[in-house]
Amino acid sequence: MTSFISLDRLRFLFSRFAERLWVRPLVICLLSVVVVFAAKFIDGTELANLAPLVEKDSVETLLSIMASSMLVIATLSVSSMVAAYAAASNSATPRSFSLVVADDVSQNALSTFVGAFIFSVVAITAVKNTFYDKAGLFVLFVLTVFVFAVVILTFVRWVDSIARLGRVGSTIDKVESATEKALIRRRDKPTLGGVSILGSPIKGQAVHTAKIGYVQHIDMAVIQDWANDADVSVVLSALPGTFVSPDQALAYVTISSDEWSELDCACLIDAFHIGKDRTFEDDPRFGLVALSEIAARALSPAVNDPGTAIKVIGTLVRLLSILNSPSKIQSKNQVEFDRVAVPEVLVSDMFEDAFTAIARDGAGSIEVCVRLQKALNSLESLNNDDIRKTARYHKDLALKRACSALEIEEDLVAVKQAASKGGALNRGSLDCKRFI
């Protein structure tokens, strides 16, 4: 079988590279060196006669100022970013670290400062060795002024961004954005483009892996290609976000026992990208877990910040409502990989990830209890049977927790009123005694 890398796998690998802090500065540094030497080519063209005269000393002075200042600013930016990363891990959740590191503004700022430093050092060396003629020196002067302008604009923008980077509100927004993208992809392709499993028991020969970790990505195109060559059908049992070990099957292959001994499943196993940590791109439940952890930390006695938990509840309502929004593709059930069957992520699991910790840790906070009931009422009103049923279950469970934690009658009345859709207290159906 001819192996290849699918576009979906390239997207996943590109996302992993975006989290590496060294990638973008390295690219900018290489580009800076190329630009310095490219300025020499104008000396051999007809445009060289049109270039005005620029004093060599003025160019050296500008480059010297840039070289002496950019390394200091780059060091300052790194220290500020590290402090922001620590703040994100301590005040929000360590699971958000990868998103904070991948912040575009911070990476662009660091890349600009380091790139400007490399540009100035290489350019000074070239100028002092009379590498340029009159035209090349003029082009280098223009480039130097342009780099100065870019550095100033980047610095102003970065100062505005670093003031927010690592703050709880900014971290929540980043997690929401990453989770929204994952939910939209899963809403558009609930079975990852494969065949849906309609509750039938999984049968076939189990395929295991020697690796231990979380499934981060599944290359469906590779599995389809392998299944076509082997003339088999594959049923996945481990979705992105699943913790796997040698005793847990990744998939099941429908094949006879005699043919199974001759089948090479190495390509099938390699289609599962397994790592030490969960990632946001293909695992929508991980984003919900991260948001729930942020709210749980805010509700701890050491922090005591119910406002953050209320903000997270609103975020969760927006995210879970995506499951009920129309898909932009023509048919979300369109089968691209007819030899691969994939189970869908259960709505009940998503609600469990999102609301269980908040309902448990916020049961003694009247404002959190009321907002949680209103949020679940909003989700229950959506035109989706699975969401409506699950929201109703978690609303009753949250009310049960509140009845066990709240002791003041007026607080209980407020929570029960919020639990009723019309806002009117129904003492018969919302009597806390039936929960105790």
Side-chain angles (χ1 to χ4, degrees):
M1 186 191 80
T2 303
S3 61
F4 63 94
I5 299 179
S6 64
L7 293 178
D8 192 51
R9 186 61 173 266
L10 287 175
R11 172 191 61 80
F12 174 78
L13 294 177
F14 180 79
S15 299
R16 301 278 65 76
F17 270 107
E19 297 176 359
R20 305 296 182 182
L21 200 57
W22 56 267
V23 174
R24 203 170 302 184
L26 177 61
V27 174
I28 297 298
C29 289
L30 295 176
L31 182 61
S32 300
V33 175
V34 171
V35 167
V36 170
F37 287 100
K40 172 64 177 176
F41 290 104
I42 195 174
D43 287 326
T45 65
E46 296 180 356
L47 296 176
N49 298 325
L50 302 176
L53 178 64
V54 177
E55 291 293 336
K56 179 180 177 181
D57 292 341
S58 64
V59 178
E60 288 184 3
T61 302
L62 288 176
L63 292 173
S64 299
I65 294 174
M66 186 183 299
S68 60
S69 60
M70 283 302 99
L71 187 60
V72 176
I73 297 178
T75 305
L76 174 64
S77 67
V78 171
S79 61
S80 300
M81 291 165 63
V82 170
Y85 299 156
S89 298
N90 294 330
S91 61
T93 173
R95 258 59 62 189
S96 63
F97 178 78
S98 60
L99 297 178
V100 179
V101 169
D103 178 69
D104 288 336
V105 177
S106 298
Q107 288 204 10
N108 289 337
L110 179 62
S111 302
T112 301
F113 301 151
V114 176
F117 173 74
I118 298 298
F119 169 84
S120 59
V121 170
V122 176
I124 287 176
T125 304
V127 169
K128 286 186 175 296
N129 288 276
T130 62
F131 181 71
Y132 302 104
D133 294 333
K134 183 185 73 171
L137 199 61
F138 171 74
V139 172
L140 183 63
F141 174 76
V142 173
L143 290 174
T144 303
V145 173
F146 175 75
V147 171
F148 258 115
V150 171
V151 167
I152 293 173
L153 293 176
T154 301
F155 182 78
V156 173
R157 186 182 178 212
W158 172 73
V159 169
D160 179 72
S161 174
I162 201 66
R164 298 176 176 86
L165 188 65
R167 301 297 185 264
V168 177
S170 175
T171 304
I172 292 175
D173 293 340
K174 291 183 183 298
V175 177
E176 179 182 4
S177 178
T179 308
E180 179 182 5
K181 294 176 183 177
L183 281 171
I184 290 175
R185 280 196 295 267
R186 188 55 60 89
R187 179 204 62 190
D188 294 342
K189 293 184 178 181
T191 58
L192 305 179
V195 181
S196 177
I197 300 177
L198 301 177
S200 57
I202 299 178
K203 298 180 181 179
Q205 301 290 339
V207 177
H208 299 268
T209 178
K211 297 181 180 178
I212 299 177
Y214 292 95
V215 177
Q216 296 179 341
H217 176 75
I218 301 175
D219 199 330
M220 295 288 291
V222 170
I223 297 178
Q224 173 74 11
D225 193 43
W226 176 83
N228 281 330
D229 287 355
D231 193 21
V232 298
S233 296
V234 181
V235 180
L236 303 188
S237 60
L239 294 176
T242 303
F243 184 80
V244 295
S245 56
D247 63 330
Q248 182 176 352
L250 293 176
Y252 292 87
V253 179
T254 55
I255 192 172
S256 64
S257 301
D258 296 336
E259 297 174 324
W260 171 251
S261 59
E262 301 177 358
L263 186 64
D264 183 11
C265 297
C267 188
L268 173 60
I269 296 174
D270 290 340
F272 290 81
H273 191 281
I274 300 174
K276 297 180 180 179
D277 302 307
R278 296 175 71 173
T279 57
F280 290 91
E281 286 77 22
D282 299 321
D283 183 8
R285 292 183 59 186
F286 184 49
L288 300 176
V289 169
L291 288 169
S292 181
E293 287 182 352
I294 294 174
R297 175 168 291 189
L299 291 170
S300 64
V303 179
N304 191 22
D305 181 18
T308 295
I310 291 174
K311 177 179 174 65
V312 170
I313 291 173
T315 301
L316 292 171
V317 173
R318 285 195 298 271
L319 291 173
L320 292 173
S321 298
I322 293 175
L323 301 175
N324 193 53
S325 59
S327 174
K328 293 183 179 180
I329 62 177
Q330 294 182 352
S331 176
K332 69 178 184 179
N333 295 319
Q334 180 180 1
V335 176
E336 300 179 33
F337 313 107
D338 57 350
R339 287 184 175 271
V340 187
V342 183
E344 297 185 19
V345 178
L346 299 179
V347 173
S348 58
D349 291 338
M350 293 187 183
F351 271 75
E352 189 79 17
D353 297 331
F355 295 114
T356 298
I358 299 177
R360 180 197 64 216
D361 297 339
S365 175
I366 176 61
E367 58 267 41
V368 174
C369 291
V370 170
R371 184 57 62 91
L372 182 59
Q373 291 295 333
K374 292 180 179 179
L376 292 170
N377 276 336
S378 298
L379 292 172
E380 189 180 3
S381 66
L382 297 179
N383 186 24
N384 185 297
D385 292 337
D386 290 337
I387 295 178
R388 184 184 300 113
K389 179 181 177 182
T390 309
R392 187 181 302 116
Y393 168 78
H394 279 271
K395 186 176 69 173
D396 290 341
L397 183 59
L399 179 60
K400 181 178 179 180
R401 295 181 186 275
C403 289
S404 299
L406 297 175
E407 298 178 353
I408 300 177
E409 180 63 25
E410 287 78 4
D411 290 345
L412 294 174
V413 170
V415 176
K416 286 185 275 185
Q417 285 179 339
S420 61
K421 289 185 177 180
L425 177 60
N426 185 341
R427 295 185 182 275
S429 61
L430 295 173
D431 185 5
C432 283
K433 292 182 179 179
R434 70 187 180 93
F435 295 118
I436 301 176

